[in-house]
Amino acid sequence: MFKRKLLALKYHSPDAFVISDEKQVRNLVLWLEDQKIRQYKVEERAELRDTESPNWPATFKQYCLDVACPVQGKLSEQLEWLLGFAVRLEFADNLEKYKKRTSEEVVKNNIKAPKVISSNPLDNLDFESIEFKNGVNGLAAVLQVTPHPDHLVTLRAISRLVSKRLNSDALDNPDTVVPKGKPYPILEADLGFDTGDYVMNQAAKVLRLLYIHDLRSLQTEINECIVAVQNLTANPKTDTKLGKVGF
């Protein structure tokens, strides 16, 4: 599981490394510190270098803390993190070297990435083409959605309308989604404050209604969660076969 990282780091024996061999693990950790990580000064590596010491596990634990390893307890995961950390340091130390591997050089060396052909027709659409924009505006006209200067915003509005009003449940029960009653007189409603500009006041009324709508939707979802939890906890089942009578 460590072979690819060991090869990337040019470890001297990546094929022979076995994590079950405690001596190999200790030598690898020391090699990473000496050659790649360099968390300690040379003179501070004496305890880590003493791989035969019975106190080496404690030294390794402290070393993991010093390099800010987030994994504690499991040796394989700690070693995996140390190898990944060493790879990142190696890349940072030789950034200019790896930058030279440009896409032109890859093509020149006949190293071609696999060509992925998608079966999804949406992947082949040009979302900025005139045809696509005309199609979005035409669909908006059919669904009576007010077009926005940005056709992608119009498309999002169409998507919201379709998902809420034209889904299978809504088509089977249109009364559940069709607004009823007298429309709310938003333009005549009292804003509660005055911005000093008529247009800003009207925009603020719209924003306040949208905010209230979002709060209602959130409250509905919270209520649904509460009901779901109550269905799981309010009717516990008792196995009467486990009961005992007497002492």
Side-chain angles (χ1 to χ4, degrees):
M1 61 183 294
F2 308 114
K3 183 176 179 180
R4 295 180 63 183
K5 290 185 175 68
L6 292 174
L7 287 171
L9 295 170
K10 298 180 180 179
Y11 187 59
H12 50 77
S13 54
D15 294 318
F17 177 76
V18 180
I19 192 172
S20 58
D21 188 331
E22 186 176 349
K23 185 176 181 179
Q24 287 194 46
V25 171
R26 295 184 180 188
N27 288 332
L28 175 59
V29 172
L30 177 60
W31 183 85
L32 289 173
E33 169 60 17
D34 281 340
Q35 303 296 326
K36 306 297 179 181
I37 299 178
R38 304 183 184 91
Q39 173 70 22
Y40 299 152
K41 296 179 180 179
V42 176
E43 60 273 14
E44 296 174 346
R45 302 173 191 170
E47 294 183 2
L48 199 63
R49 202 179 302 280
D50 187 6
T51 57
E52 301 294 335
S53 172
N55 296 326
W56 196 92
T59 301
F60 175 67
K61 182 179 181 180
Q62 183 60 47
Y63 178 69
C64 289
L65 292 175
D66 291 340
V67 296
C69 175
V71 183
Q72 298 294 330
K74 196 168 183 179
L75 177 61
S76 60
E77 295 179 358
Q78 289 175 311
L79 197 57
E80 180 74 19
W81 187 90
L82 287 174
L83 287 170
F85 183 45
V87 170
R88 293 196 299 272
L89 293 176
E90 179 74 7
F91 176 79
D93 290 342
N94 299 277
L95 187 59
E96 294 301 323
K97 170 185 174 182
Y98 295 113
K99 277 186 176 180
K100 293 180 181 179
R101 295 286 299 178
T102 61
S103 58
E104 291 80 6
E105 289 179 337
V106 171
V107 174
K108 183 179 179 180
N109 294 327
N110 295 321
I111 304 175
K112 297 182 179 179
K115 185 178 180 181
V116 179
I117 301 176
S118 174
S119 59
N120 187 351
L122 295 178
D123 292 335
N124 298 321
L125 290 177
D126 182 2
F127 296 100
E128 297 298 330
S129 65
I130 298 298
E131 293 81 2
F132 183 80
K133 294 180 180 179
N134 291 338
V136 171
N137 292 330
L139 185 58
V142 171
L143 297 175
Q144 298 182 358
V145 174
T146 303
H148 188 275
D150 186 345
H151 64 288
L152 296 180
V153 175
T154 305
L155 185 60
R156 284 197 293 271
I158 292 173
S159 174
R160 177 173 295 185
L161 174 65
V162 170
S163 63
K164 290 188 176 181
R165 297 289 184 85
L166 299 180
N167 59 69
S168 57
D169 292 337
L171 293 176
D172 292 338
N173 302 283
D175 291 339
T176 60
V177 295
V178 176
K180 299 178 182 179
K182 185 179 179 180
Y184 181 73
I186 183 174
L187 298 181
E188 291 78 22
D190 183 19
L191 180 59
F193 60 89
D194 187 8
T195 65
D197 183 271
Y198 174 79
V199 176
M200 290 293 293
N201 286 342
Q202 301 299 70
K205 293 178 183 179
V206 174
L207 289 175
R208 184 170 65 178
L209 284 180
L210 290 174
Y211 175 69
I212 294 173
H213 179 270
D214 289 342
L215 284 180
R216 287 179 175 175
S217 299
L218 177 60
Q219 185 62 57
T220 300
E221 294 176 356
I222 292 173
N223 292 339
E224 290 174 351
C225 290
I226 293 174
V227 171
V229 173
Q230 288 177 339
N231 289 336
L232 293 174
T233 60
N235 186 26
K237 295 181 179 180
T238 303
D239 189 351
T240 57
K241 294 179 182 180
L242 300 177
K244 293 183 179 182
V245 178
F247 297 95

